Amino acid sequence: MTIHSSYRCTEPACARAPLTQRPEGLACPNGHFFAFAAGTDVPVFASEPEGANEYSRENAAEVHDNALRWVFNTFQTDEEGLRERLIARIGLEKGQRVLVTGAGAGNDLPYLVRALSGKGDIHAQDIAKEMLLAGVSRYRTELAGSGVGLHFSVSDATNLPFADGYFDAAYHFGGINLFPDIAKGIAEMNRVVRLGGNIVIGDEGLAPWLVDTELGRMLVNNNALYACRAPLSALPETARAVKVTWELSNCFYVIEFQASTEPLPVNIDVPHLGKRGGTIRSRYFGRMEGVDPTLRDRIYEEAERRGMSRVAFLESALRASLNRD
């Protein structure tokens, strides 16, 4: 019997072709194959080389746990309270499907399970195989009776193995500053979340009013990632309901927005009333070569004398001239 997977092929030529499950991995109709990590049912689409950085070492999860303890002790913040506040921003409802990019060892999974109230699906993704498999080991059995499906993949957050609009929401906290292409990572979350679904992203980054303070300089000296700015310019131009706040003593930014691929509702053809006239479209796309300033002033005076806007007068004069030709 053919078992269809929720995953899609990540090879560019396949246009997110659906995958089918085999005993050793996931198969694409075009011949691509994504093996399961040894001893698991976790597909590997892309993975950092072992030992490439602190997240791809054998004991990466333990090292990361130690770093997290330092963060919560330094910023005198309760971990459970912080994670609950962040996940509350997603606005999850029972039965929804949520994506976690850069999930690491899965520290947010129990809180996400709780937010789904006993029904739904969580897809946890990370490119660091060692970290993600630690999360599988820690939480798959522990959360097995929750009623929430847990799914893990070793994959690239800038090339996600999912169809457009597959998720109700997406969440990321800690790691996006290190993405090779932050805008592409955010664009992928926007792509795989349905229209109007919530996306929440956070990482190290001082609030603007701390940047030039001694505390700010000390933090950046200790860890250069605190110099990162909230990547608002990396959001898709179609993003809706954008908010940016800071957590952990204003040293970690949090961006929230609603997914959309629809153009913003801006009518660029509403005419302006007054001397200049025209529309946003005509003023931008209809700009012409420079003319002599004296001639320009005479045109403006003539338009005013006739009770016409400058744009309307110029357009009528140009049409008349072209018609004579």
Side-chain angles (χ1 to χ4, degrees):
M1 182 178 72
T2 300
I3 302 175
H4 295 284
S5 167
S6 58
Y7 294 102
R8 298 298 183 97
C9 186
T10 54
E11 292 296 326
C14 287
R16 310 290 170 191
L19 303 175
T20 54
Q21 186 168 327
R22 295 180 182 173
E24 302 83 13
L26 303 178
C28 165
N30 300 313
H32 303 115
F33 187 76
F34 305 97
F36 294 139
T40 76
D41 62 353
V42 176
V44 179
F45 294 92
S47 178
E48 286 185 327
E50 188 173 347
N53 54 46
E54 64 184 275
Y55 302 105
S56 55
R57 298 172 185 166
E58 186 176 348
N59 64 339
E62 289 75 17
V63 172
H64 189 250
D65 288 343
N66 179 62
L68 283 176
R69 284 191 292 271
W70 180 91
V71 167
F72 292 117
N73 287 333
T74 298
F75 295 108
Q76 302 180 52
T77 299
D78 169 62
E79 179 177 2
E80 181 174 355
L82 173 69
R83 294 192 189 277
E84 287 181 342
R85 287 197 305 277
L86 291 173
I87 288 167
R89 298 179 189 222
I90 313 173
L92 290 175
E93 298 178 4
K94 185 174 183 177
Q96 289 191 323
R97 184 185 294 140
V98 60
L99 169 69
V100 186
T101 67
N107 301 62
D108 287 303
L109 296 181
Y111 304 94
L112 288 162
V113 164
R114 193 182 308 165
L116 288 169
S117 304
K119 185 179 179 183
D121 286 279
I122 300 170
H123 283 257
Q125 169 283 333
D126 205 295
I127 199 167
K129 183 170 66 174
E130 289 75 13
M131 285 285 286
L132 191 82
L133 293 182
V136 174
S137 177
R138 290 179 178 185
Y139 295 111
R140 175 160 276 174
T141 301
E142 177 185 328
L143 300 174
S146 66
V148 174
L150 293 179
H151 314 272
F152 298 86
S153 70
V154 181
S155 54
D156 183 352
T158 66
N159 184 24
L160 292 168
F162 302 105
D164 296 359
Y166 183 69
F167 295 98
D168 295 296
Y171 175 75
H172 175 100
F173 191 75
I176 200 166
N177 287 339
L178 298 175
F179 278 19
D181 189 333
I182 292 174
K184 192 172 181 182
I186 296 175
E188 275 292 89
M189 283 185 268
N190 187 66
R191 178 183 69 79
V192 302
V193 171
R194 63 169 173 80
L195 179 67
N198 292 326
I199 298 173
V200 176
I201 301 164
D203 209 349
E204 294 105 333
L206 298 173
W209 57 90
L210 291 181
V211 170
D212 291 325
T213 66
E214 188 168 40
L215 173 61
R217 288 189 287 272
M218 285 192 290
L219 287 167
V220 172
N221 179 70
N222 190 67
N223 181 349
L225 291 176
Y226 287 104
C228 294
R229 302 289 187 264
L232 294 171
S233 63
L235 297 186
E237 64 176 303
T238 54
R240 304 296 206 275
V242 178
K243 300 177 185 176
V244 59
T245 54
W246 283 264
E247 286 279 358
L248 292 160
S249 300
N250 296 323
C251 294
F252 282 67
Y253 61 80
V254 182
I255 299 172
E256 306 166 57
F257 70 97
Q258 292 178 354
S260 177
T261 55
E262 299 292 324
L264 293 173
V266 179
N267 185 349
I268 62 174
D269 295 310
V270 176
H272 286 283
L273 300 178
K275 288 185 177 180
R276 187 178 174 191
T279 65
I280 294 174
R281 186 192 302 276
S282 65
R283 288 181 177 187
Y284 184 81
F285 292 106
R287 289 176 292 183
M288 302 179 67
E289 298 295 333
V291 298
D292 179 84
T294 303
L295 177 59
R296 178 201 62 201
D297 292 343
R298 288 183 60 192
I299 290 170
Y300 290 173
E301 290 170 3
E302 184 62 21
E304 187 170 4
R305 188 185 70 80
R306 297 190 186 193
M308 301 172 68
S309 73
R310 295 166 181 175
V311 169
F313 176 73
L314 281 167
E315 287 179 346
S316 66
L318 289 169
R319 288 193 187 99
S321 177
L322 289 171
N323 288 336
R324 284 197 300 271
D325 294 340

